[in-house]
Amino acid sequence: ILSLLLAICLFAALIPTAVLAEVSMPEAAADDQIVNFAGKDWVVIDNNASEMVLLLKTPEAPIAYNASGLSNKWDSSDAKTWCESDEVRAWFSDVEWNALSDEKVFFLSHAEVVTYWSNNSADSLRAETGWWLRYDGENVGGDLFGIAVSDAGFVGTPHVATNYGARPAIKIPASNIAAIEDDAGKWNLKIINDSAFNGLQISVNVDEAHTKATATYSGASNGKAYIVLTDRRGAVLESASADISAASGAVELALPENLMG
C-alpha cells in the first residue's frame, strides 16, 4: 500500500480555493494540450524534463514586424518591442513573470516551428489570422521581408510593415510549475514559489489496518493542504484536502478496500 501512496501538500500561492479534480506533475500536459496560464489559453508545444514551452492559443491584435519597413532584424523590431511592452508584462503576476526563462516573452523562429511541430499537430499552427515569426537569419530575399504563418498554417515571407497577429511564446522551467486539472477538465498551470516551502516538513503514515492515510505537516502558513492517492502510473484514485489554520496540522484520507495490485 505504501508503494501506491503519494502525498502532495500545496499551499496558498500554488492552488486556488476552487475545488480541484486532480493535481499532477507538469508532464501530464502533453503536446497540443490547451492550458491556462496567467489568465490566457496557451498551446503546449514542448514539454520535457527541463522546461515547458507554450504558444499563445489566439494571436493578439495584428502588428507590423517593423513599421518602418526597412529591417527584419529581431533586436530592432517593433515585434520585440511589443513583447517587452508594459501591455504584455501586465498579463503576468510578479511570481509568474519571474518564473519565466530569461527571454521572457518572444516570437518563435521558423527553425523552432520546424523543431516543435515535428511531433505536434499542424492544427496548432493555424489561427484565424496570420502571425509573425522571429527573423533568425533566414534567406527571405532581403531585409524588407520577414517570416510569418498564414491563417492556413503555411509559412511565408511578407513585407515587414504588413500587419500580422502577435502570437508570443514563453518558456517555464519544469521545476517552477505544477499542473492542476479543474472540474471542467481544463489544465491550469501554477507557479511553484520555493519560498512557500521554507521550513515546511511533511510526513505520511498509513494505519495498521490499512484503512486511513494521514499527511502531517508543520511550518505551514495558510491556504490548503492536499493528500492524493495514485496508482503506479500516477492516475489519481482518491484525494482529500483541508484548510490550513495553523502552522501544524494533518490531512486524512480514507483508503479504499482491495488496493493490492
Side-chain angles (χ1 to χ4, degrees):
I1 292 178
L2 288 176
S3 69
L4 298 176
L5 187 63
L6 172 64
I8 301 175
C9 293
L10 299 176
F11 294 88
L14 313 183
I15 295 187
T17 57
V19 175
L20 304 179
E22 181 175 342
V23 180
S24 174
M25 294 302 290
E27 56 263 27
D31 290 351
D32 279 345
Q33 177 106 24
I34 304 300
V35 299
N36 185 274
F37 179 69
K40 291 184 176 290
D41 286 339
W42 305 77
V43 181
V44 178
I45 56 176
D46 191 30
N47 188 19
N48 55 62
S50 62
E51 65 184 5
M52 182 180 289
V53 185
L54 306 177
L55 177 69
L56 192 67
K57 179 184 178 184
T58 303
E60 294 287 301
I63 61 171
Y65 187 88
N66 193 326
S68 71
L70 300 177
S71 173
N72 56 14
K73 301 299 185 289
W74 171 250
D75 286 342
S76 59
S77 68
D78 294 329
K80 184 179 181 183
T81 299
W82 180 86
C83 288
E84 297 173 346
S85 67
D86 291 341
E87 172 190 355
V88 174
R89 172 64 181 86
W91 296 356
F92 307 92
S93 68
D94 289 344
V95 170
E96 291 166 342
W97 182 258
N98 292 334
L100 300 180
S101 62
D102 291 341
E103 196 173 5
K104 301 299 183 186
V105 181
F106 57 95
F107 284 3
L108 296 176
S109 69
H110 185 221
E112 287 171 328
V113 166
V114 172
T115 298
Y116 291 138
W117 266 271
S118 61
N119 296 318
N120 290 58
S121 163
D123 287 341
S124 301
L125 276 171
R126 299 190 180 98
E128 290 185 4
T129 62
W131 47 284
W132 282 112
L133 299 177
R134 181 181 77 246
Y135 177 79
D136 205 18
E138 297 89 348
N139 180 13
V140 296
D143 294 342
L144 307 185
F145 299 92
I147 302 286
V149 178
S150 72
D151 56 0
F154 299 106
V155 175
T157 57
H159 190 273
V160 292
T162 307
N163 285 334
Y164 270 77
R167 194 181 189 187
I170 56 175
K171 295 180 181 179
I172 311 174
S175 59
N176 284 353
I177 51 178
I180 300 168
E181 185 179 21
D182 63 21
D183 287 334
K186 186 173 184 178
W187 286 97
N188 297 278
L189 301 186
K190 298 295 178 183
I191 297 301
I192 298 175
N193 185 347
D194 288 342
S195 64
F197 295 97
N198 290 342
L200 183 65
Q201 299 292 322
I202 306 172
S203 63
V204 182
N205 293 287
V206 176
D207 66 350
E208 292 185 3
H210 298 165
T211 60
K212 180 177 66 176
T214 303
T216 303
Y217 60 86
S218 62
S221 55
N222 53 47
K224 279 183 175 291
Y226 287 80
I227 181 170
V228 179
L229 175 71
T230 75
D231 64 15
R232 281 180 285 228
R233 296 183 298 275
V236 174
L237 302 177
E238 304 284 348
S239 64
S241 66
D243 292 324
I244 295 172
S245 57
S248 300
V251 187
E252 295 184 350
L253 178 66
L255 299 177
E257 298 179 359
N258 303 319
L259 278 177
M260 296 308 295

